Amino acid sequence: MLLRTLYFDGPLSRNELTKVTGLSAATVSSMTGDLLAEQIIVEAGQVDSDGGRPRVLLRVDPSYGYLIGADVAETHVRVELFDLDMTERARVEYALRPARHEPELVARHILAGIDVVLADAGVSAGQVLGVGVGVPGIVGPGPEAVVDAKTFGWDAVPMGALLRSGTQLPLFVDNGAKTMGQAELWFGSGRGAGNAVIVLVGSGVGAAMINDGIAFRGVSSSAGEWGHTKIVAGGRSCRCGGRGCLEAYIGAEAILDRAGVPTGKAGWMEEVSQVLDAGGPVVDETIYYLGVGLGSLINLLNPDRIVIGGWAGLLLGERLLPQIRTAAAENALAQPYAAASIVLGRLGPDAVALGAATLVLEDFLNETPLTSRVTAAG
Amino acid sequence: MLLRTLYFDGPLSRNELTKVTGLSAATVSSMTGDLLAEQIIVEAGQVDSDGGRPRVLLRVDPSYGYLIGADVAETHVRVELFDLDMTERARVEYALRPARHEPELVARHILAGIDVVLADAGVSAGQVLGVGVGVPGIVGPGPEAVVDAKTFGWDAVPMGALLRSGTQLPLFVDNGAKTMGQAELWFGSGRGAGNAVIVLVGSGVGAAMINDGIAFRGVSSSAGEWGHTKIVAGGRSCRCGGRGCLEAYIGAEAILDRAGVPTGKAGWMEEVSQVLDAGGPVVDETIYYLGVGLGSLINLLNPDRIVIGGWAGLLLGERLLPQIRTAAAENALAQPYAAASIVLGRLGPDAVALGAATLVLEDFLNETPLTSRVTAAG
DNA sequence: ACATCTTAGTTCAGACCCTCACATAAGCCG
DNA sequence: CGGCTTATGTGAGGGTCTGAACTAAGATGT
C-alpha cells in the first residue's frame, strides 16, 4: 500500500510518504528500507533543502519486474511486454484466420508470444511478475478462468488451465473490454477518480463502475451490462431479443443500421467514421440516446468522472464530445451532473493488452512483496 | 467484526466463531473474554455434547445498550427507542400541522422525544449508543448534516448542529428513504444478501445499491436516484423537467394520474390501493414499466436480491409480485436475471425510525468497543 | 569558520494483535 | 473410573506500527 502510493504519486520523499499514507515516520523509514534492500524501489535524486536536510526522492524501479499482457481479438493474438512504468518493451502479433479461433491455437500463440517478447527484450522469465490475458466473452471466477465467448464459438473453455500447462508464471484472465476499462481507469482518463464509470461503446455496449476505488462486480461478476438497459420501452428490437435497448441505438451496428448502411461485409467498421462525419439526424439521434443513457447512469451512480471508451465511443467522442455533454446534462439531474466530468478515453481501442498487464500490476501492488502469486482474476 | 458475526448469526459457540471468522481459537477465546468482561455479550446456554465438552453459546446482550431512531415525516415526528435486538421499547409521536415544518420545531420534537422514550422505558441516557434521524431530502456529509428538503421548504438546514446543541449523544442523520432501505437490508428481506438492491417506490422512486456488503454512495453521496432514469425517450413529462422518467410512470402520483384520479386533495394516497385493486390497463402498464426498470437494474448491477419497498411499491408488490417478476424477466438478460431473486420488503412503510436506529447500530458494530462516537452519517 | 537552526531520516524499546503449541475443562463411553 | 473426544484457556513469540530520542545534512548569521 505504501508501494501503491509511491507507484501512483510519482517520486516522493519518505517525509511526504508519512503525510500521504498517514503512517509514522518510523514505519515509513523501515518499510522503505526493506523495499530498497529488495530493489523494488530506488532513490531518484534529491529536492533542494529549504533550510534543512534535503529530501531524498524514492520511486518504484521500473525494471524491478516486467508484466506481460495478451490481447485475444477477432483477427489476432497480440502479446506485449511492459516494464513497471507500463512502457512497452516488446510486442509480437499472430494473425488469426477468420473462424479459426480454436482455444488450443490461441493458447499456443500466447505461450509462444511470451517466449518471443522475453527474448526480444532480453528479459528472463524470472523477472516477470505475471501474465494478463484479455479475452472476448464472459470469464468465470477461479483459477480455471472458464471462458464463454459466442463470437469465437467458445463454450466453457478452461483458458487458465490451457495456459497453466505451458508456463509457471502467475496468470490473470479477464474480459477484454473490462481490461480496457481497467487500463483507462489506471493509466488513462480515469486516473485519480474514486467514483468513475468507464463506458465502452463498440459493437456491444458496457460499463465498468467504480465506487470509492472498488469495482462493482455484482454477485456473479457480470455487472456492467449497460447495453441492454431499455431506453425506449417498446422501441427498436435488439439482438438480445428485447426491444428498445440502448445498444440497439448507440451500438456500432445500430448506428450503421439506422443510417441504412449494411453491416455484414468485412470492413464495415470503417463505415462508422464516415457516417459520423456525414452528420445528419442519425448522428444527432445517436448523441441524444447516448445522452439519455449517460444521464441515467449519472443519476443512479453519482460518479465524479465518466470516461467514454470503446472504438465506436471514441469515434463519437472525438467528434462530438461537447454535444454528448449537453445531451447528458439534459437527461440528468443538475446536482449529480455537476459532480460528474465527462471525458474521452485516452488510450485508444488498442489498450486491451495494456489493461491485461494491469491485472498483474494490481496484484503486484496488493500483495505483500515476495509472496507467490498463482491466481486468476475473475 | 467478531461482534458483527455474533450479532447477525445469532448465538454461536466460540468454536463456531473460529470457523466463521477465520480467526484462531486463541484469538476468539481472548476476544470473547474481553467482550464478556465488558458485558457486551453474554452466555446463552449450551449445546449437547457429541462426545466432547459441550459448546457454550454466546450472544450479544440486547440490554447492553439502546438505540434511538427518529422519523421526520410529512405529518409527524416519531421517536422510537430500541434495544440491541431492535425490539421497540418505547415510542412517542408529535403531530406536525401542514406547512409547519420549521427546523427548530422538528429539532425540539426530536429532543423532547428522546427524553420521553428514555423515561418511558426506564433507560438512562448513558446506556444509549446514539440517535439516528431519518429526514426527507438530501443530507450532506459531515457532522453538520446539512439537509435540503424541498417538500419541507428546508434549504441548507444544519440538522446535526441543531440537535447537537440539545444532546450529547452521538448523532446520525440520513435521508429517510435510505434509512428505510437500510432497515430492509439489515432486518428485512435484504438480510444475508451481499449484493442487494433495495428499490423504493413511493411518491418518488429511488434505489439503494449494495456491492459486496458495501453501500454504493457515489462521489457526493447522492447515488440511488433511480426515478429519473429515462425509460421512454421523449415520453411523459416528469416533475424533474425531463421526459420519460421512470418516476413519471410508476411513481404514486403517476399511477393515479394515468388512471385519471386527481392527486391534489388530502387522502389521495388511499386512492392508489383502489386503482390497483380495480386493475385494468393502467395497472398492467405500471407493472410493465416497473419490469423495464428492474430489468435494467438487474443487467447493470447483477444483484443477488432485489427488495421492493416504499409504500406504493409495497401496495404493488402485495398484489402483483409474480407479474412483476415476469415483467423483470422479460426485460433482463437471462443470466443476471437468474441470479437475482425479487422479493417484497417485509418491514412495511413505517420502518424509517428503525432504519435510522440502524445507522447507530452499524456504527456500534464497526467501532472498536469503548471508543467515543460523535459523527454524523452522510 | 563555526555555532545554531531547521528539516529529514534512523534506531530502538515497547504496545498491540494475532497465531502456534500446549495445557486444561467437561462431557461421553466402555 | 480411566480413556477418548471436543471445547476453551494460556503463554511465548512473530509481525506491525508508534513515540521518543538520536543522527544526518544542509542553510544562516555573525
Side-chain angles (χ1 to χ4, degrees), chain B residues 157-170:
Chain B
V157 170
M159 184 48 70
L162 284 174
L163 293 171
R164 169 60 56 238
S165 66
T167 177
Q168 304 299 320
L169 295 170

Side-chain angles (χ1 to χ4, degrees), chain A residues 170-216:
Chain A
L171 289 172
F172 302 86
V173 182
D174 206 346
N175 172 275
K178 285 189 185 170
T179 68
M180 224 167 87
Q182 178 87 349
E184 205 61 71
L185 183 69
W186 284 44
F187 302 106
S189 304
R191 191 156 188 169
N195 293 68
V197 175
I198 316 272
V199 157
L200 295 161
V201 182
S203 243
V205 173
M209 301 161 283
I210 313 293
N211 176 43
D212 213 7
I214 297 166
F216 197 110

Side-chain angles (χ1 to χ4, degrees), chain B residues 22-24 26-27 31 46 49 51-54:
Chain B
L23 296 173
S24 74
T27 310
M31 299 252 275
Q46 302 198 341
S49 70
R53 174 175 173 174

